[in-house]
Amino acid sequence: MIISILLSTLGVIFVAQPSFIFSKISNIPETNISSGHYKRLIGILIALYAAIGMAIMVISNKHLLSKYKTKESLIMFIFEFVILHILVANVLFRYNFFIDKMQLFINDFFNWRYLCASSICLLHIPGFILVQKGVKLEHPSIFTILQSSGIIWSILLQNIFSSVKSNFLSLLGSILVLTSILIITGFKFINEKKDQKQSVQACSIE
């Protein structure tokens, strides 16, 4: 488990490639790096907060589903209800629906790009349903580490649909993350086989 965590952490570092570690091989000019230093720092802090929040969400959902037998539909409804209100508040704060910003609101929301993005975001709904199922069936720590496989899918989609291609370190980081997932899966499989053998032996002795 510790080896998997270390490999996953190294993989994330190689994929993210923070400028204070990989400044010599970064393709970004130094002026852009220095000017965007605070923005990158804020982005890193937000990412860390999101990771901690996701871990807390997995543990709390596991607790609600296993101990209190809370309905999965109720958890999903509360989550989507909160997200909807946050998005509406963000729109009201940004546009204020004044006369001078109504045209900006129309241009941003009533176009084919926004409709395509909204349609793609609907894929989040079945994904969240599967998250609830996975949390209910698996241990929170293993589920959280396995979720890091999203890095691999992100790099794959980036190389397919984006003009920015991944370098060697990004691919190496993806391999490390995949290796950590395989180690966890194999470790889990071996433990389950041992438990099955012990249970069979105990039943035969009785």
Side-chain angles (χ1 to χ4, degrees):
M1 184 68 70
I2 297 177
I3 296 176
S4 300
I5 294 174
L6 292 176
L7 290 176
S8 180
T9 304
L10 287 176
V12 171
I13 293 175
F14 286 156
V15 171
Q17 297 179 20
S19 58
F20 59 88
I21 299 177
F22 301 95
S23 58
K24 293 183 179 180
I25 62 174
S26 178
N27 296 325
I28 304 174
E30 294 183 0
T31 55
N32 293 340
I33 292 177
S34 59
S35 62
H37 175 72
Y38 293 104
K39 292 183 179 180
R40 293 176 65 88
L41 179 60
I42 293 174
I44 291 174
L45 293 177
I46 292 175
L48 290 175
Y49 171 78
I52 296 173
M54 180 62 68
I56 294 174
M57 185 271 291
V58 171
I59 296 174
S60 60
N61 284 7
K62 181 71 173 182
H63 189 69
L64 290 173
L65 292 171
S66 60
K67 184 176 181 179
Y68 296 103
K69 307 299 180 182
T70 306
K71 296 292 184 180
E72 300 173 7
S73 57
L74 178 61
I75 298 176
M76 293 178 55
F77 173 76
I78 295 175
F79 177 79
E80 301 297 340
F81 182 78
V82 173
I83 292 296
L84 176 63
H85 281 73
I86 292 175
L87 293 177
V88 171
N90 181 54
V91 171
L92 293 176
F93 175 77
R94 180 177 179 182
Y95 296 98
N96 295 322
F97 291 102
F98 292 140
I99 297 177
D100 57 340
K101 291 189 176 181
M102 282 300 298
Q103 188 62 38
L104 178 62
F105 174 80
I106 294 174
N107 294 335
D108 288 344
F109 285 89
F110 294 94
N111 56 71
W112 66 271
R113 292 182 179 179
Y114 178 78
L115 294 177
C116 292
S118 301
S119 301
I120 294 174
C121 287
L122 291 177
L123 296 174
H124 169 77
I125 297 177
F128 189 72
I129 295 174
L130 294 177
V131 165
Q132 300 300 321
K133 294 292 185 181
V135 169
K136 188 176 182 179
L137 298 175
E138 187 53 86
H139 193 274
S141 59
I142 296 177
F143 179 84
T144 304
I145 296 177
L146 290 177
Q147 270 193 321
S148 60
S149 62
I151 297 175
I152 301 174
W153 293 106
S154 299
I155 292 179
L156 179 62
L157 294 175
Q158 174 185 334
N159 285 275
I160 294 176
F161 296 104
S162 176
S163 59
V164 180
K165 305 302 180 182
S166 302
N167 54 19
F168 173 75
L169 288 178
S170 297
L171 298 177
L172 178 61
S174 302
I175 294 174
L176 291 177
V177 173
L178 181 60
T179 304
S180 67
I181 294 173
L182 293 177
I183 291 175
I184 293 174
T185 306
F187 183 76
K188 184 73 173 177
F189 179 77
I190 293 173
N191 285 341
E192 288 180 354
K193 288 296 183 181
K194 289 182 179 179
D195 293 338
Q196 289 178 359
K197 289 182 179 180
Q198 291 177 357
S199 61
V200 170
Q201 291 177 357
C203 293
S204 61
I205 292 174
E206 293 177 356

